[in-house]
Amino acid sequence: MSGHSKWATTKHKKAVIDAKRGKLFAKLIKNIEVAARLGGGDPAGNPTLYDAIQKAKKSSVPNDNIDRAVKRGSGAEGGGAQYETLWYEAMAPGGVGVLIECLTDNRNRSASEVRVAVTRNGGSMADAGSVSRLYQRKGVIEVARDQEGRSVSEDDLLEATLEAGAEEVIDHGEGFTIQCEPNDLVEVRKAVQAAGLDYESAEVAMVPDYDNPVDADTAEKIERIIDALDDSDDVQNVYANYEGPAEQE
């Protein structure tokens, strides 16, 4: 139950890019608003909101911003927008399928920004279903290897989470990715916490069935598309099923 997690490395890279551009806070706040609107403003009774808040806190979003987002989403405070989730599919160089998740209050703006980002950087929009069939919805929990002087092992995580529903624990060097069915995400996350371990993030994500190996030049072209998509405030997540060449030490 180990292997390479392209999802983990891509998401980490995205987080760094977003933070540098000052966009990460806005996207995390939007997630909190939507979670509070759909499931209520009490994190104890709304696991999706709980995980959205934890992710925001780990990214150093101020508590005041988080509290206001919860209030806007739950209706306790005015000013909340009515967001909807939209999915777009595209093909990048190297035959790589790209899934784009948007959270938006303006469909036309999102569609336009996504199309421009993809087509101006060497990609093409794809028919609905042609890319999404290559992915599965999974619960995904990221756990760092080093935790307060303790080095976590794959066996530690397996022992802690297998009975809770973990399907796979993937070692990607600096940490681990635990995958499970979406409905098991909360129980697996709780099992990690019960074992005295911290986690970086816990969310439902789209995980590819396989990664396309590409050369460095193609990987750079794909990353240009991802970067351009990240420039849109409406784009929440970008998934691409590729694996570039190993970085040289």
Side-chain angles (χ1 to χ4, degrees), residues 106-179:
N106 187 319
R107 281 173 168 256
N108 291 335
R109 180 186 65 223
S110 297
S112 174
E113 290 182 356
V114 166
R115 181 175 296 277
V116 168
V118 170
T119 57
R120 285 188 179 176
N121 289 281
S124 60
M125 301 305 295
D127 294 333
S130 60
V131 173
S132 57
R133 65 183 178 83
L134 305 175
Y135 289 78
Q136 297 183 55
R137 289 180 77 250
K138 290 288 184 183
V140 180
I141 301 170
E142 299 292 340
V143 180
R145 182 183 298 277
D146 296 323
Q147 302 203 12
E148 297 183 354
R150 174 184 176 184
S151 181
V152 180
S153 71
E154 185 175 325
D155 287 342
D156 290 336
L157 290 177
L158 281 172
E159 183 178 348
T161 63
L162 206 52
E163 290 188 7
E167 295 179 339
E168 188 171 16
V169 175
I170 302 166
D171 185 342
H172 52 82
E174 295 180 355
F176 303 89
T177 300
I178 306 171
Q179 291 184 8

Side-chain angles (χ1 to χ4, degrees), residues 18-236:
D18 282 343
K20 288 181 178 178
R21 293 177 180 168
K23 294 180 179 293
L24 183 59
F25 280 17
K27 295 185 179 187
L28 293 171
I29 288 296
K30 195 184 291 187
N31 274 336
I32 291 171
E33 281 192 41
V34 171
R37 191 180 77 231
L38 296 178
D42 180 9
N46 183 347
T48 302
L49 176 61
Y50 177 91
D51 287 326
I53 290 173
Q54 293 306 306
K55 187 173 182 179
K57 287 182 175 180
K58 289 178 184 296
S59 298
S60 301
V61 177
N63 287 332
D64 285 349
N65 295 34
I66 292 172
D67 291 342
R68 286 197 298 271
V70 172
K71 290 176 180 177
R72 285 195 302 271
S74 63
E77 181 178 298
Q82 294 298 310
Y83 296 113
E84 63 177 321
T85 300
L86 301 174
W87 289 91
Y88 299 96
E89 304 182 26
M91 294 301 298
V96 169
V98 182
L99 271 183
I100 304 127
E101 181 184 10
C102 291
L103 199 55
T104 182
D105 57 358
N106 187 319
R107 281 173 168 256
N108 291 335
R109 180 186 65 223
S110 297
S112 174
E113 290 182 356
V114 166
R115 181 175 296 277
V116 168
V118 170
T119 57
R120 285 188 179 176
N121 289 281
S124 60
M125 301 305 295
D127 294 333
S130 60
V131 173
S132 57
R133 65 183 178 83
L134 305 175
Y135 289 78
Q136 297 183 55
R137 289 180 77 250
K138 290 288 184 183
V140 180
I141 301 170
E142 299 292 340
V143 180
R145 182 183 298 277
D146 296 323
Q147 302 203 12
E148 297 183 354
R150 174 184 176 184
S151 181
V152 180
S153 71
E154 185 175 325
D155 287 342
D156 290 336
L157 290 177
L158 281 172
E159 183 178 348
T161 63
L162 206 52
E163 290 188 7
E167 295 179 339
E168 188 171 16
V169 175
I170 302 166
D171 185 342
H172 52 82
E174 295 180 355
F176 303 89
T177 300
I178 306 171
Q179 291 184 8
C180 61
E181 287 301 310
N183 289 340
D184 292 329
L185 177 63
V186 174
E187 291 306 312
V188 174
R189 184 254 292 162
K190 287 181 177 178
V192 171
Q193 293 173 304
L197 301 174
D198 194 12
Y199 66 98
E200 300 297 313
S201 64
E203 59 192 324
V204 175
M206 301 302 291
V207 177
D209 292 333
Y210 63 88
D211 288 328
N212 283 323
V214 299
D215 59 27
D217 181 60
T218 302
E220 186 176 335
K221 293 176 181 177
I222 296 167
E223 285 162 12
R224 278 204 294 270
I225 293 176
I226 294 173
D227 288 350
L229 288 165
D230 276 333
D231 278 338
S232 170
D233 290 337
D234 290 344
V235 173
Q236 288 294 107

